[in-house]
């Protein structure tokens, strides 16, 4: 709100603002508020898209019993490993 008011003040100047009625000032402020909200919305959407792009599954692969230690036990901190154990045949 303060940013929007400063933007209006800077763009019109003090003398022009003094000539406007309360309704005109209110409308001008609403327009500036809307611009700030749209700018914030675009920024948040970009942040959310970037976060969603990172939050994807890594990969799915078949490993043998010998590979278990390397791929599961040493996966690293913060890495989730999901196992599907099965017996062929």
């Amino acid at each position: 709100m303060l940013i929007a008011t400063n933007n209006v003040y800077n763009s019109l100047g003090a003398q022009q603002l003094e000539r406007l009625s309360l309704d005109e000032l209110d409308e001008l402020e609403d327009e500036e508020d809307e611009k700030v909200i749209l700018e914030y919305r675009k920024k948040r959407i970009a942040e959310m898209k970037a976060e969603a792009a990172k939050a994807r599954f890594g990969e799915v692969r078949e490993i043998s019993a010998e590979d278990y230690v390397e791929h599961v036990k040493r996966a690293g901190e913060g890495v989730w490993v999901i196992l599907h154990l099965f017996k062929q045949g």
Side-chain angles (χ1 to χ4, degrees), residues 33-48:
D33 286 347
E34 194 171 313
K35 288 178 188 176
V36 171
I37 290 170
L38 285 175
E39 184 178 318
Y40 175 76
R41 183 175 183 263
K42 286 179 186 177
K43 180 181 173 187
R44 272 302 287 147
I45 288 173
E47 288 172 358
M48 290 168 66

Side-chain angles (χ1 to χ4, degrees), residues 3 24 27 29 36 39 47 49 55 64 66 71 82-83:
I3 294 170
E24 291 171 327
E27 185 178 324
E29 191 175 68
V36 171
E39 184 178 318
E47 288 172 358
K49 284 182 179 180
S64 66
E66 294 83 29
H71 291 287
I82 299 174
L83 297 175

Side-chain angles (χ1 to χ4, degrees), residues 63-75:
I63 62 171
S64 66
E66 294 83 29
D67 295 333
Y68 175 84
V69 173
E70 180 184 342
H71 291 287
V72 178
K73 294 252 183 185
R74 297 184 188 147

